[in-house]
Amino acid sequence: MASIRLGTTIATNALLERKGQPFALCITKGFKDLCHIGFQARPKIFELDIQIPKVLYDKVIEIDERVIPNDGSYKGIKSFGFH
């Protein structure tokens, strides 16, 4: 991976309008479908023809990282080549 970028208002608007460069979603291993699944809050709960919007990212990179607060364990992204 060449770089990691943070979103600003301009970048967020570009994503929502589907403009700009393709990008990847880096997410904790096991949660790659989280953005696709979303949540069940729908304005028309009984609608039969549900239109699910396309995800904004082109690729998903799952990172095997965990923070366990009770025992102080930490497996961070630095150990996987991300800085």
Side-chain angles (χ1 to χ4, degrees):
M1 175 174 291
S3 66
I4 295 177
R5 309 255 174 150
L6 299 177
T8 63
T9 302
I10 294 172
T12 303
N13 287 342
L15 291 174
L16 295 174
E17 295 171 1
R18 307 288 203 262
K19 297 177 182 174
Q21 296 294 315
F23 70 98
L25 170 67
C26 297
I27 195 164
T28 301
K29 188 173 183 177
F31 292 92
K32 70 178 180 180
D33 295 331
L34 188 66
C35 292
H36 179 72
I37 294 169
F39 51 91
Q40 295 300 313
R42 296 189 305 268
K44 298 178 181 175
I45 193 75
F46 298 109
E47 184 72 35
L48 297 176
D49 185 26
I50 300 170
Q51 301 295 319
I52 299 174
K54 290 179 65 176
V55 293
L56 298 173
Y57 47 85
D58 296 313
K59 182 178 180 179
V60 178
I61 300 171
E62 289 186 280
I63 302 171
D64 188 15
E65 58 84 27
R66 290 286 186 264
V67 175
I68 304 171
N70 294 338
D71 69 0
S73 296
Y74 173 74
K75 186 176 183 183
I77 63 174
K78 285 188 178 180
S79 63
F80 298 98
F82 293 93
H83 301 284

